[in-house]
């Protein structure tokens, strides 16, 4: 018989390192993820991309690790060394066979305590990051449009800044600034170690103590919570680029789990993507793609686990034979207005809820997802120990909660629209 | 090259890695049950009771290479399956399936069309989800309104992909290498084909290509063998019967080529491909998998070292094997500033050529083996990945012990065997080279910093 998920276990070292374990014995593997509570939204103006650049330089040498040794050694023991940066976090995840767990723990601890880098690798990695930006943003018209859209929607919030960094900022970035970013933020009391897999708490705790306990904690600078601008009005822009398909990016400034007035409010918002966009039975997809065919495709996103105010976004490709992007946006917004006025039907709510709850089960298929869920809670300013209450919390969300959330946040003054059009059709 | 920690001399200062034994065998004992049911569908099943869920994957030999005179027929048939089935409209259908929390996906490829269902295994969810999934695959209504809508979606998607450099570069390789062959239409559709296709064409195509004995079924999850047999039997009996895709014609004689597609952009997307006439189930595939890992997979690969680590020319360069039923290809892909198109191409070409001539070192081979071990361990630990692996084994016609013998067989290969497979199957003089992006005055490669040499 299938097992229910194990209870999330937790301890904190004297130096402030928070450690969480989701024990899962289905396979002899463990996912270890070190989440530093620092990301693009912590960066000062003019230094965008700093957290991500540092991520590239964490394994260029430390007291026990030669430059590049981390990558090679982790591959040899069956891991896939990688790292990623978000608006709120810099993350070093690794999944390894259970009997190898101590090696990455020791390596990650050593890097936390003593990682440093020379000028040559710094210059090389800065060039590589510029190439990464060129490939993933500058040479990708949709990604460039989304970058411009998020900047407009977030206004003066630090979330307006792209994780990869602006090109001009990256070109100005120095090794000294990057080193000092590590000195400022990479301390045990600013990190969460999220672990999922085939290991017991006692064994994990002994290893974590052995390698992390001697690292001193440090005072952290105050990190302001990203908030939306106090006064907001409807914002629109048009992005024209060769290769861009006709479309609409529409976002609303909304609270996250961390800034919502109640858990119900945030959970009601978290049902919106399934209610409106995801799956062929979702309301907007059914009406606008299936019945009226004014849209050709769409997706919705709500970044609920953000430490500050966030966005609810709808991205849609429009059907040129059925009207303009402007007409499609009006039609979209009119439907959101109906949701705000009358709420979803009971069947719609049940469908969205069933999908979210089923995905919680499906998510357990991959222990790396389980560890990531813990990290996302932690860097999103929430207590991971509360994450297992979500299933119960979702069951308590009512039609009224969704209607209220829609009415409160899917408003014109909270709205940002970016019209997408291919450059060739600009003069049509 | 710097920084390469050789597996047989791990002089690390990490205390926990002292005395690390790296050549211990990695055991994979995932048990695969397989059978052919009465309708001729091949079934591969893994019983996995750890989570209350089931993954089903159906792989029909109904890919775009089965298109007749109308490029797009296979794709449009697949994309129209959920436009209404067994008298239920597309919306009704989706609402019922989605209210169970079940996830349905479909994808169209050159040789195969794939449908997947992921659902909770509780009987009150599983049974109706499977019944709906069966209706969707076996009893599509193909209403005219659905076809019209999906045609507009496909045309929009085509227009986007046509201008997206990574897709365009790959498409040019296929067009050149497989001109006149079904593999030579990598988009899987044409505007004329899409315009001409009617719902009758969809019905006729479905009646043949979605036959039970043209199907490989993968099933992973919280089911008994008895459940699995019942489920797959019900599914395959509902399908059309008695048709199987014919083997494709042999490939045209390849010719080398250099293609530039001029279009605006911030850089060029590049491809260098070599024809590789090794069937997907040939023993030499394993040698080539190892070779590819050394040459073009991961941060320590030869290509990544040459272009990214030493010269910072690109964020990412990787190579891949694409074995197809009547041949295949090997392809390197990267992105580079417009002024380094020629120089980077020359560097990639030289790196590939040297590798074919020299083959891998023993240390590179061991590292490649370890680099392939981790993903395999992670794959067999996940139901979804296992279902996909079973599907791959099905369409490549690999034996049931493939997963358990994969790592030991890789470990047994010597540098000489890998080099011989490279030289027997890849010829640098046959390379097809593609760039997509803006043209610029060409510059020589930047010098390699002293400490990177």
């Amino acid at each position: 018989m299938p097992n229910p998920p194990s209870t999330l276990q937790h301890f904190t070292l004297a130096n402030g390192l928070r450690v969480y374990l989701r024990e899962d014995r289905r396979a002899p593997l463990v996912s270890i993820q070190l989440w530093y509570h620092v990301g693009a939204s912590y960066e000062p103006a003019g230094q965008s991309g700093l957290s991500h650049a540092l991520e590239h330089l964490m394994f260029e040498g430390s007291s026990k690790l030669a430059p590049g040794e981390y990558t090679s050694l982790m591959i040899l023991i069956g891991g896939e060394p990688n790292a990623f940066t978000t608006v709120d976090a810099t993350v070093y995840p690794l999944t390894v066979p259970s009997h190898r767990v101590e090696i990455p723990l020791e390596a990650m601890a050593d890097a936390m305590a003593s990682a440093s880098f020379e000028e040559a690798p710094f210059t090389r990695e800065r060039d590589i990051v510029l190439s990464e930006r060129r490939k993933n943003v500058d040479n990708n018209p949709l990604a460039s449009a989304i970058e411009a859209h998020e900047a407009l929607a977030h206004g003066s919030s630090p979330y307006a800044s792209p994780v990869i960094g602006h090109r001009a900022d990256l070109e100005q970035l120095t090794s000294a600034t990057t080193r000092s970013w590590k000195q400022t933020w990479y301390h045990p009391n600013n990190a969460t170690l999220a672990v999922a897999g085939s290991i017991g708490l006692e064994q994990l705790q002994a290893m974590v103590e052995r390698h992390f306990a001697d690292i001193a904690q440090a005072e952290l600078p105050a990190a302001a919570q990203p908030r939306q601008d106090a006064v907001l009005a409807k914002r629109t822009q048009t992005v024209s680029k060769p290769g861009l398909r006709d479309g609409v990016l529409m976002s609303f400034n909304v609270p996250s789990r961390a800034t919502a007035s109640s858990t119900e409010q945030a959970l009601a918002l978290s049902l919106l993507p399934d209610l409106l966009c995801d799956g062929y039975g979702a309301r907007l997809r059914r009406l606008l793609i299936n019945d009226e065919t004014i849209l050709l495709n769409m997706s919705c996103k709500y970044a609920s686990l953000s430490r500050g105010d966030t966005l609810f976004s709808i991205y849609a490709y429009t059907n040129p034979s059925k009207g303009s992007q402007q007409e499609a946006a009006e039609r979209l917004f009119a439907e959101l207005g109906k949701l705000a006025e009358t709420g979803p039907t009971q069947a719609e709510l049940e469908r969205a809820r069933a999908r979210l709850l089923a995905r919680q089960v499906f998510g357990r298929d991959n222990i790396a997802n389980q560890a990531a869920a813990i990290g996302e809670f932690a860097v999103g300013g929430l207590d991971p120990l509360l994450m297992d209450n979500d299933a119960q919390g979702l069951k308590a969300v009512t039609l009224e909660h969704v209607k209220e959330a829609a009415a409160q946040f899917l408003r014109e003054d909270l709205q940002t629209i970016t019209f997408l059009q291919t450059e060739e059709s600009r003069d049509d | 090259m710097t920084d390469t920690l050789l597996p047989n001399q791990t002089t690390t200062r990490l205390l926990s890695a002292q005395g690390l034994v790296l050549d211990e065998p990695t055991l994979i004992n995932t048990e695969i049950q397989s059978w052919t049911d009465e309708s001729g569908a091949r079934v591969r099943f893994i019983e996995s009771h750890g989570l209350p869920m089931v993954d089903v994957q159906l792989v029909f030999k109904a890919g775009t290479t089965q298109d007749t005179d109308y490029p797009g027929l296979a794709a449009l048939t697949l994309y129209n399956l959920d436009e209404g089935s067994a008298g239920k409209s597309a919306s009704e259908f989706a609402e019922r399936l989605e209210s169970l929390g079940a996830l349905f996906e479909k994808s169209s490829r050159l040789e195969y069309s794939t449908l997947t269902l992921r659902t909770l295994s509780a009987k009150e969810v599983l049974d109706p989800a499977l019944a709906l999934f069966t209706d969707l695959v076996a009893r599509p209504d193909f209403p005219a309104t659905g076809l019209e809508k999906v045609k507009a979606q496909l045309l929009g998607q085509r227009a986007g992909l046509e201008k997206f450099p990574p897709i365009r570069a790959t498409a040019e390789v296929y067009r050149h290498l497989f001109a006149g062959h079904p593999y030579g239409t990598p988009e899987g559709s044409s505007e004329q084909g899409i315009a001409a296709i009617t719902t009758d064409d969809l019905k006729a195509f479905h009646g043949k290509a979605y036959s039970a004995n043209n199907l490989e079924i993968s099933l992973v999850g919280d089911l008994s063998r008895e459940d699995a047999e019942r489920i797959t039997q019900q599914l395959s009996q509902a399908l059309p019967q008695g048709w199987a895709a014919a083997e494709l014609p042999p490939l045209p004689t390849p010719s080398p080529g250099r293609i530039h597609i001029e279009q605006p952009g911030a850089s060029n997307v590049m491809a260098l491909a070599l024809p590789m006439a090794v069937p997907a189930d040939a023993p030499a595939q394993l040698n080539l998998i190892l070779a590819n890992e050394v040459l073009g997979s991961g941060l320590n690969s030869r290509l990544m070292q040459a272009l990214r680590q030493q010269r910072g020319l690109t964020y990412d360069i990787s190579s891949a094997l694409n074995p197809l039923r009547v041949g295949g290809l090997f392809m390197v892909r990267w992105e580079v500033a417009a002024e380094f198109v020629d120089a980077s191409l020359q560097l990639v070409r030289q790196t590939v050529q040297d590798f074919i001539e020299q083959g891998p070192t023993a240390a590179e081979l061991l590292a490649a083996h370890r680099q392939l071990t981790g993903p395999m361990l992670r794959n067999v630990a996940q139901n979804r990945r296992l279902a996909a692996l079973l599907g791959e084994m099905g369409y490549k016609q690999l034996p049931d012990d493939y997963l358990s013998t994969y790592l030991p067989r890789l470990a047994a290969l010597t540098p000489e065997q890998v080099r011989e497979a490279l030289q027997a199957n890849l010829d640098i003089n046959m390379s097809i080279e593609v760039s997509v992006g803006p043209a610029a005055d060409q510059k020589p490669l930047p010098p390699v910093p002293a400490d990177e040499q």
Side-chain angles (χ1 to χ4, degrees), chain A residues 160-202:
Chain A
S161 185
V163 170
I164 186 94
H166 294 292
R167 174 163 293 273
D169 293 352
L170 292 170
E171 282 165 351
Q172 298 295 319
L173 191 63
T174 65
S175 58
T177 312
T178 312
R179 274 189 208 99
S180 117
W181 197 241
K182 178 181 181 280
Q183 295 308 322
T184 306
W185 296 107
Y186 276 45
H187 302 293
N189 48 318
N190 195 41
T192 296
L193 183 66
V195 181
S198 191
I199 190 170
L201 187 73
E202 211 171 302

Side-chain angles (χ1 to χ4, degrees), chain A residues 39-41 43 47-53 55 84-90 129 132-133 147 150 158-166 170:
Chain A
S41 68
E43 293 159 1
Q47 294 182 355
S48 65
L50 188 47
S51 307
H52 173 254
E55 174 220 304
F84 62 91
T85 305
T86 73
V87 289
D88 289 331
T90 313
V129 171
E132 184 178 357
R133 188 190 153 84
E147 186 178 282
E150 296 200 335
Y159 284 152
S161 185
V163 170
I164 186 94
H166 294 292
L170 292 170

Side-chain angles (χ1 to χ4, degrees), chain A residues 2 26 63 69 72 76 78 80 100 106 124 132 134 139 245 279-281 286 289-290 351 354 365, chain B residues 12-13 15-16 21 24 49 91 95 98 118 149 156 222 266 300 309 335 370 374 378 383-384 452:
Chain A
R26 288 174 303 130
S63 69
E69 180 180 341
S72 303
L76 289 178
E80 189 176 29
R100 305 288 200 206
E106 186 181 2
R124 179 193 75 216
E132 184 178 357
R134 186 184 65 205
N139 202 40
R245 288 175 67 181
Y280 289 84
R286 193 181 65 225
I289 296 182
N290 191 64
R351 172 190 160 282
D365 192 23
Chain B
T12 174
R13 293 196 296 276
L15 300 174
S16 54
V21 179
E24 62 187 296
H49 295 287
S91 298
E95 278 154 29
E98 289 165 9
R118 170 165 257 207
K149 177 182 73 183
D222 181 24
N300 289 339
Q309 298 302 93
E335 178 266 6
R370 300 304 304 179
R378 291 189 291 279
N383 293 1
R384 185 200 289 272
E452 297 287 352

Side-chain angles (χ1 to χ4, degrees), chain B residues 69-367:
Chain B
D69 293 337
Y70 304 134
L73 182 54
L76 282 174
T77 303
L78 177 72
Y79 298 157
N80 274 284
L81 288 177
D82 53 349
E83 288 301 323
S85 303
K88 288 182 286 289
S89 75
S91 298
E92 261 179 286
F93 195 89
E95 278 154 29
R96 289 193 195 193
L97 192 66
E98 289 165 9
S99 294
L100 298 165
L103 300 177
F104 160 67
E105 286 172 9
K106 50 193 188 295
S107 68
S108 166
R109 296 285 179 273
L110 272 178
E111 300 192 301
Y112 305 94
S113 283
T114 302
L115 300 107
T116 60
L117 178 74
R118 170 165 257 207
T119 172
L120 300 175
S121 56
K123 195 173 163 44
E124 65 276 17
V125 177
L126 180 67
D127 286 354
L130 284 168
L132 287 161
F133 187 55
T134 302
D135 279 348
L136 184 147
V137 186
R139 305 183 183 97
D141 294 331
F142 294 128
T145 49
L147 178 57
E148 197 186 329
K149 177 182 73 183
V150 174
K151 279 184 176 182
Q153 291 170 356
L154 186 57
L155 287 168
Q157 187 192 59
R158 273 179 55 89
L161 294 180
E162 167 81 12
K163 289 177 186 147
F164 190 55
I167 300 283
R168 181 68 191 263
T170 304
E172 290 300 329
V173 167
Y174 278 75
R175 262 198 282 279
H176 178 88
L177 191 55
F178 303 123
H181 189 272
Y183 293 161
T185 310
E187 309 86 347
S189 63
S190 70
E191 285 186 23
Q192 295 81 350
I194 292 170
I197 289 164
T198 66
T199 54
D200 285 343
D201 297 322
L202 303 186
K203 284 172 194 160
F205 187 81
H206 177 265
K208 293 192 300 186
Y210 286 77
S211 285
N213 62 334
N214 202 36
L215 167 65
E216 309 282 340
I217 305 178
S218 315
L219 202 57
V220 180
D222 181 24
L223 295 170
S224 65
R225 165 75 182 239
E226 207 183 357
D227 291 334
E229 285 189 22
R230 180 179 49 81
I231 286 168
T232 53
Q233 187 78 0
Q234 281 169 2
L235 204 146
S236 60
Q237 277 175 357
L239 290 168
Q241 304 288 320
W243 187 89
E247 203 57 88
L248 293 168
L251 295 178
T253 307
S255 65
R258 172 74 178 92
I259 299 160
H260 175 70
I261 304 296
E262 178 69 22
Q263 66 175 47
S267 57
N268 274 234
V269 171
M270 311 287 300
L272 181 152
L274 303 176
M276 187 188 70
V278 187
D281 57 348
Q285 278 296 342
L286 283 182
N287 307 41
L288 294 169
I289 286 171
L290 266 181
N292 180 62
E293 202 70 14
V294 174
L295 180 61
S297 174
L299 206 53
N300 289 339
S301 74
R302 287 194 181 194
L303 288 167
M304 200 70 152
Q305 288 290 323
L307 274 87
R308 170 175 155 150
Q309 298 302 93
Q310 293 180 7
R311 296 180 177 85
L313 283 171
T314 187
Y315 172 61
D316 193 20
I317 177 164
S318 63
S319 64
L321 306 169
N322 189 5
L324 297 161
R325 290 199 59 82
V326 292
L329 53 83
F330 161 85
M331 184 152 43
V332 183
R333 303 202 296 170
W334 69 103
E335 178 266 6
V336 77
E339 63 268 29
F340 293 125
V341 162
D342 288 351
S344 72
L345 196 49
Q346 187 49 40
L347 180 59
V348 168
R349 202 183 152 87
Q350 192 63 50
T351 306
V352 174
Q353 184 175 351
D354 291 348
F355 185 62
I356 294 172
E357 279 166 16
Q358 304 155 1
T361 65
E364 283 178 322
L365 219 50
L366 185 50

Side-chain angles (χ1 to χ4, degrees), chain A residues 59-110:
Chain A
F59 296 106
E60 288 301 328
S62 52
S63 69
K64 296 179 190 169
L65 292 167
E69 180 180 341
Y70 179 81
T71 302
S72 303
L73 187 60
M74 294 309 138
I75 290 171
L76 289 178
I77 64 168
E80 189 176 29
N82 215 331
F84 62 91
T85 305
T86 73
V87 289
D88 289 331
T90 313
V91 188
Y92 301 87
L94 203 65
T95 299
V96 295
S98 321
H99 64 295
R100 305 288 200 206
V101 166
E102 189 159 6
I103 298 174
L105 284 175
E106 186 181 2
M108 288 181 189
D110 193 59

